[in-house]
Amino acid sequence: MSDSSVIGVADLPLPFEPCVADAARQRLLTERHLLPALPLVHAFFFALRAYVDRTLQPAQPVKLGKPYPLGQCLEISQAVLRQLAPECVAVVPLTGDEAAGLAAFNAFRQAGGMLRLVWGDLRGEFFQNAFQLGSLYLDVSNDTVNPAKPKVEILPFEQARLAAVADFRHFARLAARYWKHRVYPNHILPALAPYCPLIHLAPDGTLSLKDCSEYMVGMARAGRFAASEAVLADPPMPPWLFQYLAQALDGAPFPLPVSAQEGRAMALQTCADYRAQGRHAEPRHAAQLATVVHDANHRLVQVCGARPCIPPPDPLSVSIESVPAMQTVEKVTINGIDYLYAELSETARQQVDMVRAIDGKLADLQRDVAINQKARAAYIEALVQALPVQAR
């Protein structure tokens, strides 16, 4: 965890918070060094992006089934940042205009101009990594959602509409929209819940704890885990999800509750305990738990890769329950109303049986879709690797 995330320093932004830090000074330096040469600065960053593409594209031609550069805004931004080191940028071939753009950038930096990686909600549509360049917004991965867009975008920061993620509900809404994830409260790993209070289910059936990025962990710490408590106080996660996770994490070095109800209570209590212990002010504690989160997610990727997590279908809110007794009594719940199966008419029982049969088929089909999506992604990656170099 970076020093800028220390709790109690109110004038410092969270790590990667999308804002113009040191605004007055950065605006002055931008007007003095960057704006007069803005087309040249743009040309330089476009050349830099083209240069890092030559390495990044062969290294990861496909990510989550999507061809480069889709979904790789972080990788591209980090590569550009590394390439800006003096010894690295010196090897980038530049034209006269591009070299002039680099000179303007260097003058800006030497005068105290800021280049800072930021992350947030871009226009309510998706998560995006970009840079604060003085008082400007610099996006060197502008084509990672729509490849038809220009690779590099530079504009006044306030015009970019890159907003800070306000809380975990904000994160969950955008994850559902952008990644198509289903999001649930983390009622399975209470010790990790104050930092990662969400469980995400991806369309391919992969589960993961969210979110262990520096910004989201910093946000949880800054609010003394109140943002985590807000989502952990939701109703317990569904029984089918709890059962899947309990089996997937069985044998792992993580204490597990016996039920989602117990996990909910334990997660909320852990938030209170960490707050009372001052854990929100301990970067080392957060860093240690980040390693545990990584191990848990790695285990989930392995388990879900072999057996995707597929939620049960819920076409008409129909459920069949068995009541323990000498003789099993089946209860049918339709749109919130309970009926005894034996008391239904023969026609109604036949329809219930058909719904159950279709539910089973839908579950099988959803499992097949998840498996085939993973296979398709693997075939695409193999195809790209097999293409001639010039076609990549």
Side-chain angles (χ1 to χ4, degrees):
M1 191 67 61
S2 64
D3 290 341
S4 63
S5 66
V6 175
I7 306 303
V9 186
D11 57 338
L12 290 178
L14 293 173
F16 311 110
E17 183 176 348
C19 63
V20 177
D22 191 18
R25 183 167 182 244
Q26 294 306 312
R27 186 173 295 108
L28 177 64
L29 293 174
T30 299
E31 292 172 353
R32 181 177 299 166
H33 297 283
L34 297 180
L35 294 186
L38 197 56
L40 304 177
V41 174
H42 188 280
F44 162 66
F45 278 104
F46 192 90
L48 195 60
R49 165 63 194 277
Y51 184 82
V52 302
D53 281 347
R54 291 162 50 184
T55 302
L56 289 181
Q57 185 170 4
Q60 188 168 234
V62 177
K63 180 181 179 182
L64 300 178
K66 298 178 180 180
Y68 185 89
L70 297 178
Q72 299 197 42
C73 62
L74 178 60
E75 293 87 343
I76 292 170
S77 298
Q78 290 176 333
V80 166
L81 188 60
R82 291 191 298 268
Q83 200 65 43
L84 281 169
E87 66 276 11
C88 296
V89 77
V91 304
V92 179
L94 299 174
T95 66
D97 285 351
E98 294 161 358
L102 172 59
F105 172 76
N106 285 337
F108 165 78
R109 293 286 283 154
Q110 289 166 6
M114 184 179 293
L115 178 73
R116 188 172 68 93
L117 190 62
V118 295
W119 170 87
D121 172 355
L122 188 62
R123 300 158 197 155
E125 297 177 0
F126 45 81
F127 299 112
Q128 184 69 4
N129 293 275
F131 291 96
Q132 174 206 344
L133 177 62
S135 60
L136 299 174
Y137 168 89
L138 166 65
D139 186 354
V140 296
S141 56
N142 192 49
D143 59 338
T144 55
V145 174
N146 180 357
K149 288 185 175 181
K151 294 184 176 184
V152 176
E153 181 178 52
I154 304 178
L155 66 162
F157 199 94
E158 61 274 11
Q159 292 183 19
R161 294 169 54 203
L162 182 67
V165 175
D167 51 34
F168 285 103
R169 293 200 191 281
H170 184 175
F171 183 89
R173 286 195 303 271
L174 199 57
R177 177 171 181 171
Y178 179 32
W179 294 330
K180 311 302 180 188
H181 284 187
R182 295 189 182 203
V183 184
Y184 305 91
N186 176 11
H187 295 154
I188 187 69
L189 290 171
L192 305 181
Y195 297 99
C196 293
L198 301 176
I199 299 287
H200 283 222
L201 175 58
D204 66 355
T206 300
L207 290 162
S208 59
L209 287 159
K210 294 289 184 183
D211 182 68
C212 209
S213 66
E214 285 195 60
Y215 176 86
M216 295 302 293
V217 171
M219 182 193 71
R221 293 175 55 214
R224 292 173 165 80
F225 309 118
S228 303
E229 285 176 315
V231 293
L232 292 169
D234 284 351
M237 63 166 52
W240 61 266
L241 179 60
F242 182 87
Q243 292 167 7
Y244 183 100
L245 285 164
Q247 293 176 3
L249 297 171
D250 183 43
F254 318 120
L256 302 179
V258 299
S259 68
Q261 289 80 3
E262 182 185 72
R264 178 181 182 273
M266 291 173 65
L268 291 170
Q269 185 61 49
T270 302
C271 288
D273 290 344
Y274 282 4
R275 181 165 48 249
Q277 297 163 9
R279 296 294 193 182
H280 55 279
E282 298 179 9
R284 183 176 298 178
H285 185 252
Q288 290 171 344
L289 286 187
T291 301
V292 180
V293 171
H294 174 79
D295 293 342
N297 281 338
H298 179 70
R299 185 181 183 95
L300 288 173
V301 166
Q302 291 181 317
V303 172
C304 295
R307 183 173 62 90
C309 179
I310 307 299
D314 187 21
L316 289 174
S317 299
V318 176
S319 64
I320 309 296
E321 299 180 6
S322 295
V323 179
M326 293 296 292
Q327 185 176 3
T328 297
V329 177
E330 290 184 311
K331 183 177 68 175
V332 184
T333 303
I334 303 176
N335 295 332
I337 301 174
D338 293 340
Y339 303 88
L340 292 179
Y341 179 81
E343 295 180 358
L344 295 176
S345 68
E346 182 177 354
T347 299
R349 291 198 300 270
Q350 289 176 348
Q351 302 311 310
V352 168
D353 292 342
M354 291 301 297
V355 169
R356 289 194 293 186
I358 294 298
D359 282 353
K361 291 181 180 179
L362 286 172
D364 291 340
L365 288 171
Q366 288 176 324
R367 189 173 295 108
D368 288 344
V369 167
I371 293 171
N372 281 284
Q373 283 176 333
K374 287 181 176 290
R376 183 178 184 274
Y379 288 136
I380 291 175
E381 184 169 359
L383 169 61
V384 173
Q385 293 287 0
L387 293 173
V389 174
Q390 63 269 22
R392 296 183 189 177

